[in-house]
Amino acid sequence: MKILKREPTKWRLRIESEDDLWTLSHLARPGLSIGMLGERRDQTTTGEEGGRAKVAERKKMWIRLKIATTEYQAFSELLRVHGLIEEAQFDVGLHHTHIVELRNDVELTAIHAFSQADYELLRQSEKAAQQTNIALAMVETDEIVLFYITPRGLKEGATWTMRGGGKRGDLKQSSGIAATFRSNVIKAVTATLDESTPLLLCGPGHPRDVLLSDMKALGHTRFMKSIATSMAGRAGANELLREGLAGDLLSEYAISKETSLLDEAWTRLSTNGAVAYGPEALAKAMDEGAIEVFLITADLLRNQDQRINGKTWAIWAEGLADIGATMIQCSVDHDAGQQLVGMGGAIALLRYAM
């Protein structure tokens, strides 16, 4: 996210990645206004021309909406924002939908100053602009699955299988067929990835090292690293994030931090350790000043209908600063985030067991 203007009640932003669309989908909530260039049909240009009906002309103009709803799907390249037109050359008061895409400039306006949670989410998005997407290939002898690690999520890409079907443990493949399979995968990866995209080759056993050797032999110069995991497929990808196996390469990515902290929460839960979840337990932990790290989905934090201790989650979370606690706004676009949703959307690592 590139910040073009930042004032207490007005932000002008440039969308530079899919993760920026995710961030904007949480910042652009009902009650705020969003402005950007859009198109409307000018009904004053209809009529007849040469005996034929003339279609109303579409005119590009600056349109500001009072936000009603937003629609965003994970890893899509557009965000739909619906609302009533507040400012435009015509049609003020009518419904309109902005379709926000990469490289669009948007202007968010609030009646009151943006919240601290919004500032933090914007700061993280600005920082993530310096982080590149990383390709992750989970390698087995007869199957290779390509994932993309973004600062906020884990996206599954292509899958290649040696036989184009399910695995059969009793079917032996000759080394020649295996080499052809790897060669085809390398061609596909080369066509799919930009030369500057780092590639991690992971999985159990030696197939990942063989694939790495083949790629180097073919002259690939991108950053590539072989990392051992005990599992293959998506489970292995989650292991890489959870255990921090990529080292410094992913250490500053939000997805890596969230996955690691949530895994610590699940470990404490299994041992009756210093952890709390559920509105009642969390409110008690807040009152006692026991919360050290509070993890909550960005959706729940901005939900105006859900309550904790008689307050919205956003208002309640403002008290975390008073007890020296850290709040992490989690994405649900990875497996650990989905587990958090299953736990109610919020959990806290405590300073001591309660």
Side-chain angles (χ1 to χ4, degrees):
M1 184 88 74
K2 185 173 183 179
I3 302 173
L4 305 177
K5 178 188 289 187
R6 179 163 39 192
E7 298 177 357
T9 60
K10 181 182 292 185
W11 291 346
R12 195 174 184 92
L13 312 169
R14 179 166 296 155
I15 308 303
E16 297 183 324
S17 70
E18 294 173 0
D19 278 358
D20 290 347
L21 290 171
W22 177 89
T23 299
L24 184 61
S25 72
H26 291 87
L27 295 177
R29 58 186 180 276
L32 275 63
S33 299
I34 184 170
M36 63 178 290
L37 287 175
E39 290 186 346
R40 296 284 295 182
R41 289 193 182 277
D42 185 357
Q43 298 302 326
T44 63
T45 61
T46 59
E48 290 190 3
E49 188 176 79
R52 294 184 178 182
K54 182 181 177 184
V55 178
E57 297 176 5
R58 297 189 69 90
K59 292 187 176 180
K60 185 177 287 290
M61 68 190 78
W62 179 262
I63 303 174
R64 189 176 76 237
L65 306 180
K66 190 73 171 180
I67 300 172
T69 61
T70 61
E71 294 180 18
Y72 175 69
Q73 293 183 344
F75 304 111
S76 65
E77 295 185 352
L78 58 87
L79 164 69
R80 290 183 172 88
V81 185
H82 311 281
L84 293 176
I85 299 175
E86 289 185 315
E87 177 188 341
Q89 294 179 15
F90 48 82
D91 288 349
V92 173
L94 299 184
H95 288 274
H96 184 77
T97 299
H98 275 318
I99 300 193
V100 187
E101 301 176 291
L102 301 185
R103 291 172 292 282
N104 283 167
D105 291 354
V106 302
E107 187 175 272
L108 277 180
T109 309
I111 297 175
H112 305 291
F114 289 98
S115 68
Q116 190 59 42
D118 287 342
Y119 269 102
E120 179 60 23
L121 199 60
L122 183 66
R123 185 195 66 79
Q124 291 177 7
S125 183
E126 183 181 27
K127 181 180 179 181
Q130 311 302 320
Q131 299 168 340
T132 183
N133 290 353
I134 294 174
L136 168 63
M138 299 305 302
V139 184
E140 294 182 271
T141 303
D142 58 355
E143 182 177 76
I144 298 174
V145 184
L146 184 66
F147 295 89
Y148 299 97
I149 302 174
T150 74
R152 281 285 178 184
L154 178 66
K155 176 184 178 181
E156 186 170 339
T159 299
W160 299 276
T161 58
M162 192 179 296
R163 293 172 299 280
K167 300 179 185 178
R168 298 191 187 92
D170 59 346
L171 185 61
K172 296 183 179 180
Q173 301 291 339
S174 69
S175 59
I177 295 176
T180 301
F181 170 64
R182 292 195 303 273
S183 176
N184 291 335
V185 170
I186 291 172
K187 290 177 182 178
V189 169
T190 303
T192 301
L193 301 181
D194 185 88
E195 185 61 34
S196 62
T197 303
L199 175 62
L200 302 180
L201 302 170
C202 305
H206 299 293
R208 67 181 190 282
D209 294 323
V210 176
L211 182 62
L212 178 61
S213 297
D214 288 352
M215 295 187 75
K216 287 183 176 179
L218 291 171
H220 283 258
T221 57
R222 75 173 75 246
F223 175 87
M224 296 180 292
K225 185 176 182 180
S226 174
I227 301 174
T229 58
S230 62
M231 296 174 282
R234 194 175 186 93
N238 285 314
E239 179 187 357
L240 176 84
L241 296 171
R242 183 176 63 250
E243 304 296 337
L245 300 180
D248 293 340
L249 187 62
L250 291 174
S251 61
E252 294 302 315
Y253 280 53
I255 183 177
S256 182
K257 293 180 179 179
E258 292 169 17
T259 301
S260 179
L261 287 169
L262 288 170
D263 184 62
E264 173 64 20
W266 313 145
T267 301
R268 294 189 187 187
L269 274 175
S270 66
T271 57
N272 295 319
V275 65
Y277 69 97
E280 185 176 339
L282 288 169
K284 182 181 178 182
M286 172 78 90
D287 292 340
E288 295 187 12
I291 299 177
E292 184 174 17
V293 179
F294 177 61
L295 299 117
I296 182 170
T297 67
D299 299 284
L300 179 60
L301 183 62
R302 290 164 177 79
N303 191 308
Q304 296 297 307
D305 299 323
Q306 300 289 329
R307 292 287 191 272
I308 175 172
N309 209 24
K311 305 174 183 177
T312 64
W313 283 92
I315 293 176
W316 180 84
E318 291 176 357
L320 293 168
D322 297 334
I323 61 173
T326 301
M327 181 173 70
I328 306 293
Q329 300 181 54
C330 298
S331 166
V332 298
D333 294 337
H334 52 83
D335 291 14
Q338 286 295 323
Q339 287 180 288
L340 179 59
V341 172
M343 295 297 295
I347 197 166
L349 300 175
L350 307 181
R351 297 185 171 96
Y352 53 85
M354 295 175 59

